[in-house]
Amino acid sequence: AKGRGRNCHVWFEPRMESDFRFRRELENGIREGLGRGEFVPYYERQIALGSGELTGFEMLARWHSPKLGTVLPEVFIPVAEDMELISELSEQLIRRALDDAKEWDANLSLAINISPLQLRDPWFAQKLLKILSESGFPPHRLDVEITESCLHENPAMVRSILVSLKNQGVRVSLDDFGTGYSNLSQLRSLPFDRLKIDRSFVTELGGESDSGAMVGAIVALGRSMGMPIVAEGVENETVLAQLAKLGELEGQGYFYGHPADAAATREMLRKEGRL
Ligand code: C2E
Ligand code: CA
Ligand code: CA
Ligand code: CA
């Protein structure tokens, strides 16, 4: 706890000051970096677990800052959100990713992550569809990932966005499922195409906790609603073997490869004959 006692003071002050300085550096860096195109898409393989076949990629943002080095999205996305620059940042990344993905084999999909803040914009779906049509990338190969936590905020808005996107053939996945305490009847009433089990449940499948039962329950729930399921965070063979017991699933994780930039992804696809 942040007390006001002298001891706490001595302990906290230097850290708070450096936190503050770091924050300012992030804000300035983000503003500049946007203008200089320093934010780039990385791609993580998505796999049909049964056959091991590559089905597509999830785009994950990276920031190559000249000052700070490579920064992960968990650091810069919340700051970009606070600065109200998230939509601009996201649009820049999506344009790049659609451009990259157009080169890939015609069966491969592209998944993108959308911040809850972007869903507050009543024109979100229209804007995204416009970017999509300008890119020439086929809508049915795009997958929009929305986190479970978005559902609390404005379910009616989320519903209308889902409907607009789906009308154009875009798929929508519910991301980080199991972490957001959704209302199950509300979930059933929203037309998601896929359900992504949060990594925290999946990585523990190798261990001794109850997450096996948890993952089993989530899979059963998704199936009962007719939704294909993606397991995130498949890190090793043990986890994969556990998942195999649950039937047909998709998956992604470090076992299949770490997120890679456009050039490395392209090179990989070329070697696999999927370009
Ligand atoms: P997410 O959508 O749940 O993405 C999965 C995260 O787990 C990624 O971290 C990925 O690198 C990591 N990961 C993948 N496989 C494994 C694994 O086997 N083990 C472990 N330990 N981790 C794994 P990353 O790239 O740092 O992204 C973190 C979060 O940032 C994402 O979580 C997503 O919510 C958000 N994010 C990323 N890119 C964007 C973006 O362009 N826009 C928005 N709004 N959010 C983004
Ligand atoms: Ca995601
Ligand atoms: Ca996720
Ligand atoms: Ca996550």
Side-chain angles (χ1 to χ4, degrees), residues 74 147 175-176 198-199 232:
E74 257 138 19
T147 54
D175 202 357
D176 296 353
D198 191 66
R199 183 175 89 208
E232 311 181 315

Side-chain angles (χ1 to χ4, degrees), residues 44 58-62 72-74 77 81 86 90 93 113-115 118 145 147 175-176 198-199 203 232-235 252-255 259:
E44 176 168 304
E58 176 177 1
M59 188 265 274
L60 296 161
R62 294 289 180 271
L72 290 173
E74 257 138 19
I77 298 270
E81 286 175 342
I86 186 66
S90 178
L93 283 161
N113 290 284
I114 298 300
S115 147
Q118 291 172 274
E145 298 191 358
T147 54
D175 202 357
D176 296 353
D198 191 66
R199 183 175 89 208
T203 43
E232 311 181 315
V234 180
E235 289 183 352
Q252 57 185 96
Y254 295 166
F255 181 67

Side-chain angles (χ1 to χ4, degrees), residues 220-238:
L221 180 71
R223 292 234 169 89
S224 77
M225 295 186 287
M227 288 194 267
I229 295 142
V230 186
E232 311 181 315
V234 180
E235 289 183 352
N236 53 52
E237 212 106 37
T238 319

Side-chain angles (χ1 to χ4, degrees), residues 12 140 246 250:
F12 271 104
H140 70 273
L246 299 171
E250 282 178 73

